[in-house]
Amino acid sequence: MPDTDRLYALSSTYTHPWLSGPDGPGLLIHDPVVAMRWYLTTEREENLAVTGHVSDDHGATWRPLEPRALMADAEHALAAQADDGPQARQSVGILRDALAAEAADWLDHRLRYVQPDDPTPYRPEEPAPDAWQRGGHIWALALGTLPDEQVLTHLTARFTAPQAEGAVLLRTGAAEMLDALTLAENPAHGEEAQLLAALALFHRLSFGFETGQLHTLAEDAQRAVLDHLITVHPVTARVVEAHPAPGHAANQAARAYLRRLSFIGADGEQRLLDDAAAALAEAVTAVEQQPDPAPDPSAQGVQAPAIPGYPKCLEGDLQAAAQWRLISPVARRAAEQTMDRLISAASALAEATAAADVQQPPSPQRDAALLSHHSLHQELEELTARYALLMHASVLADAEAAAEPAQHAAVVAAAQATEAQPRPSTAAEMRAAEDAFMAHVTQAEDRIAEALSEQRRITREALHRIFPYAVTSTGRHTVRRNLLENSGLGLDAYTQASRAIGESAGKLQSVEAAYRSGAVSFGRPPVSHDDVKQARAALQRAETRFADLGISRPNTIRALKALDAAAHHAPSDSEAPAARAARIAAQSRERSKAAAPRTDPAVKQVRHAHHSSAQAHQPGLRPT
């Protein structure tokens, strides 16, 4: 059983030139084996680049997840599952083989690389020697290990001729990358020639065809080596001492010199070394002769947000969906059930594939397992999209709720600023004080309106990104029904949950009575202690469902109201000063009335009538 405290969020972006920009599919799940297999089958150099994040607190906070850490988690989960007995060990062996096959397929796309914009994409039958070595570099950069024999077996079986030398080159390249990564973690332990060689290796990968998280990993390692090498190399150390800021033009010129030097080599041709040093000296001289830029007056002070904490932009849709699970117990329970079913379906598909004969057409068992796995994957994607949109809308609802105290604080701040001035003695001074007060209020409320407008824009973008068909009134109605009715939170949700409690309580009562009496119905087995436990567990589940509804449904309706308002919202014209002043005075009067106790006899009479009507509809009760 996976650790449900930990969640893995894998998102993808299209890297193909004709598909660049829009986000690709994503996965939010608590099982590292399924997550790692999804990474290997989704991350392809000509289609998608995958980025991972992991959370250890049900999705409240996130940190970046490297593929090597995800692979380590998957291996740890498989090792733990293998301790459950012989049948579990057999299932783990099948999953390991499936994982190795998918890793070999992932690596094959690196070995026989095709440019995404190649008009005639063609993969050679056999990888070239340099391709084997580059594949080892990428494997070690991503997964942090040497390819094991199981992966190599699946990989070499793809090619027509024996690839013994290819496997050696693959392992050699992986070992070279592992040494370079060790230097990047502790660059002070490396010599200048070693650091330059590692820098050239990282630069080739970060500057080459790799994109997404692999590109980021190569850039991070390159930066770690550069940050140390630039301070110890005799040519660049003087430049860094005079210009320590990494963003300074002279500092950037020194970094460019080291990159150029890494390709030449410390013992390279002297003419090339002299040209690189001369280019660095010329760039530093040109930078130092330029006058320092004048400070930007607009950057001197940062204005406090009009609504504290807003506008807020969530990290991503997967992270937003995880946060909604924390708000809605019904959503979390549905997601956990779907994830568990998907994990079981993935294992069943791997076992059916392993038992299938490659010389025969697919069996009905494998087709059924494939269909179940696909449908559950789609169901989890739909749940994630639904929860992500609700979380975006919930943030908007929070911003709208925070706008009212922010407006009140703006009025108080304006009053305090006016009171700090000398008391007016003439009518003209009083009008000037009132104008100053209203100017403070107007400016603050305009900023609050801008913040709300920006938050609504973010929410509308999320709506059109997650549900593109929600551009018409019919589409928005479909979205509402999808978010509410399909989540089990419709108008009859409370009725069904209450009825389930009554039915479960009645069944528990009858089972307990039969168990105590020992009576046996004709044709049925005697009631056992396990039957009583099951009936009691069913009642607990029904009560939990009803309690979860009391939390989830109000939060969902609140988010839907904010979403509906954002979808229909149009920016309003600025209020006239007189209308704004009248509204502020009316709000003050309303706050004064709310603070006083209500003693209106008509209100009491309406409440008493409503209370009597409610009692009349309760069974066994009569109005007094």
Side-chain angles (χ1 to χ4, degrees):
M1 187 68 180
D3 180 9
T4 54
D5 288 348
R6 174 166 286 196
L7 278 176
Y8 299 92
L10 301 176
S11 56
S12 63
T13 305
Y14 285 102
T15 59
H16 195 281
W18 304 109
L19 298 173
S20 61
D23 295 333
L27 179 68
L28 181 64
I29 200 164
H30 57 21
D31 183 68
V33 180
V34 174
M36 189 69 230
R37 295 182 64 186
W38 188 90
Y39 172 89
L40 292 171
T41 55
T42 304
E43 212 273 349
R44 294 287 184 263
E45 99 285 341
E46 81 277 15
N47 285 332
L48 294 164
V50 176
T51 302
H53 289 82
V54 63
S55 172
D56 296 319
D57 49 11
H58 300 282
T61 58
W62 295 88
R63 53 187 171 83
L65 174 69
E66 296 182 356
R68 70 188 72 172
L70 180 58
M71 178 64 89
D73 287 351
E75 292 290 345
H76 177 74
L78 289 174
Q81 187 178 348
D83 297 335
D84 295 339
Q87 187 175 1
R89 282 195 293 272
Q90 181 180 3
S91 299
V92 167
I94 294 174
L95 287 175
R96 286 188 187 277
D97 188 70
L99 190 62
E102 287 155 356
D105 184 59
W106 176 84
L107 186 55
D108 182 28
H109 279 73
R110 265 69 192 179
L111 296 176
R112 298 186 291 168
Y113 172 71
V114 176
Q115 289 284 352
D117 55 351
D118 193 335
T120 57
Y122 169 74
R123 293 190 181 276
E125 292 293 330
E126 305 293 340
D130 60 338
W132 281 100
Q133 192 171 14
R134 186 186 66 229
H137 292 160
I138 297 170
W139 176 278
L141 176 65
L143 303 180
T145 61
L146 295 175
D148 57 26
E149 292 298 331
Q150 201 170 11
V151 173
L152 293 177
T153 300
H154 282 283
L155 182 62
T156 54
R158 294 172 169 270
F159 309 129
T160 56
Q163 294 286 323
E165 69 282 0
V168 173
L169 290 172
L170 183 71
R171 286 180 171 270
T172 301
E176 184 181 4
M177 174 56 69
L178 291 177
D179 291 340
L181 290 173
T182 303
L183 278 178
E185 293 177 359
N186 298 287
H189 296 170
E191 299 179 357
E192 179 182 326
Q194 294 175 320
L195 293 173
L196 288 174
L199 188 62
L201 178 59
F202 294 136
H203 184 66
R204 281 196 298 270
L205 289 179
S206 63
F207 186 73
F209 56 83
E210 284 301 334
T211 57
Q213 196 167 20
L214 296 182
H215 178 84
T216 304
L217 292 174
E219 276 193 335
D220 291 344
Q222 179 185 195
R223 188 179 301 108
V225 174
L226 261 179
D227 289 343
H228 172 75
L229 186 58
I230 198 172
T231 60
V232 298
H233 193 277
V235 176
T236 59
R238 297 190 298 270
V239 179
V240 175
E241 186 177 358
H243 308 285
H248 196 276
N251 194 294
Q252 291 294 319
R255 293 171 184 270
Y257 165 77
L258 288 177
R259 294 190 190 96
R260 185 174 176 180
L261 185 61
S262 67
F263 289 104
I264 299 173
D267 299 329
E269 187 177 346
Q270 189 61 40
R271 179 180 59 84
L272 298 177
L273 296 174
D274 293 340
D275 289 345
L280 173 61
E282 182 179 354
V284 171
T285 302
V287 169
E288 291 178 344
Q289 290 178 351
Q290 294 178 355
D292 294 334
D296 186 4
S298 62
Q300 295 297 323
V302 179
Q303 216 172 14
I307 307 175
Y310 300 94
K312 180 189 296 183
C313 189
L314 299 176
E315 297 181 25
D317 291 337
L318 297 178
Q319 288 80 358
Q323 291 182 30
W324 180 254
R325 293 178 184 181
L326 296 176
I327 294 175
S328 172
V330 171
R332 179 173 179 178
R333 193 177 304 278
E336 287 178 353
Q337 291 174 354
T338 306
M339 288 189 297
D340 291 339
R341 291 163 56 204
L342 177 59
I343 294 167
S344 300
S347 300
L349 178 59
E351 293 175 1
T353 304
D357 187 355
V358 294
Q359 304 298 332
Q360 299 294 330
S363 63
Q365 292 80 5
R366 185 179 181 278
D367 288 341
L370 183 61
L371 180 61
S372 175
H373 180 267
H374 176 74
S375 62
L376 285 171
H377 222 299
Q378 185 175 3
E379 182 179 345
L380 184 59
E381 288 180 355
E382 291 175 356
L383 283 179
T384 302
R386 188 185 306 164
Y387 299 157
L389 181 56
L390 285 171
M391 188 63 213
H392 285 292
S394 179
V395 170
L396 174 59
D398 293 340
E400 292 173 344
E404 184 175 351
Q407 289 177 345
H408 176 68
V411 175
V412 172
Q416 292 175 348
T418 305
E419 290 175 358
Q421 301 298 324
R423 183 176 298 275
S425 57
T426 64
E429 290 177 351
M430 291 181 64
R431 284 194 297 270
E434 290 176 0
D435 292 342
F437 169 78
M438 293 308 304
H440 279 87
V441 174
T442 300
Q443 183 181 10
E445 293 198 344
D446 286 346
R447 292 181 58 229
I448 291 172
E450 290 175 2
L452 283 178
S453 178
E454 177 64 16
Q455 193 68 61
R456 292 189 182 103
R457 183 194 63 79
I458 294 172
T459 307
R460 283 195 299 270
E461 286 184 355
L463 171 63
H464 296 156
R465 180 178 65 251
I466 298 173
F467 293 99
Y469 58 83
V471 294
T472 63
S473 59
T474 304
R476 288 194 292 269
H477 170 71
T478 304
V479 170
R480 287 193 211 97
R481 186 178 58 201
N482 194 347
L483 297 177
L484 196 64
E485 300 294 339
N486 293 355
S487 299
L489 301 173
L491 291 174
D492 59 345
Y494 283 120
T495 304
Q496 294 177 358
S498 178
R499 185 183 299 118
I501 292 177
E503 293 174 354
S504 300
K507 184 177 181 180
L508 175 61
Q509 185 177 3
S510 63
V511 169
E512 287 179 336
Y515 179 70
R516 287 193 298 266
S517 64
V520 180
S521 301
F522 180 76
R524 294 183 180 181
V527 177
S528 64
H529 180 65
D530 289 340
D531 294 332
V532 177
K533 288 177 59 178
Q534 292 176 4
R536 187 174 292 115
L539 177 59
Q540 291 177 351
R541 288 194 298 270
E543 291 174 344
T544 302
R545 165 70 178 174
F546 188 82
D548 290 348
L549 276 175
I551 301 173
S552 300
R553 194 172 189 277
N555 285 330
T556 303
I557 293 176
R558 176 175 178 265
L560 282 176
K561 288 181 178 179
L563 180 64
D564 189 63
H568 293 85
H569 181 77
S572 58
D573 296 333
S574 299
E575 241 180 329
R580 189 186 299 268
R583 179 173 54 81
I584 293 173
Q587 290 174 353
S588 301
R589 287 194 298 271
E590 289 296 328
R591 283 193 293 269
S592 300
K593 291 179 181 179
R598 293 175 179 258
T599 57
D600 189 354
V603 174
K604 289 186 177 181
Q605 185 177 0
V606 170
R607 288 180 175 174
H608 178 72
H610 177 73
H611 178 67
S612 301
S613 176
Q615 286 183 327
H617 286 82
Q618 294 294 329
L621 294 177
R622 292 180 300 174
T624 57

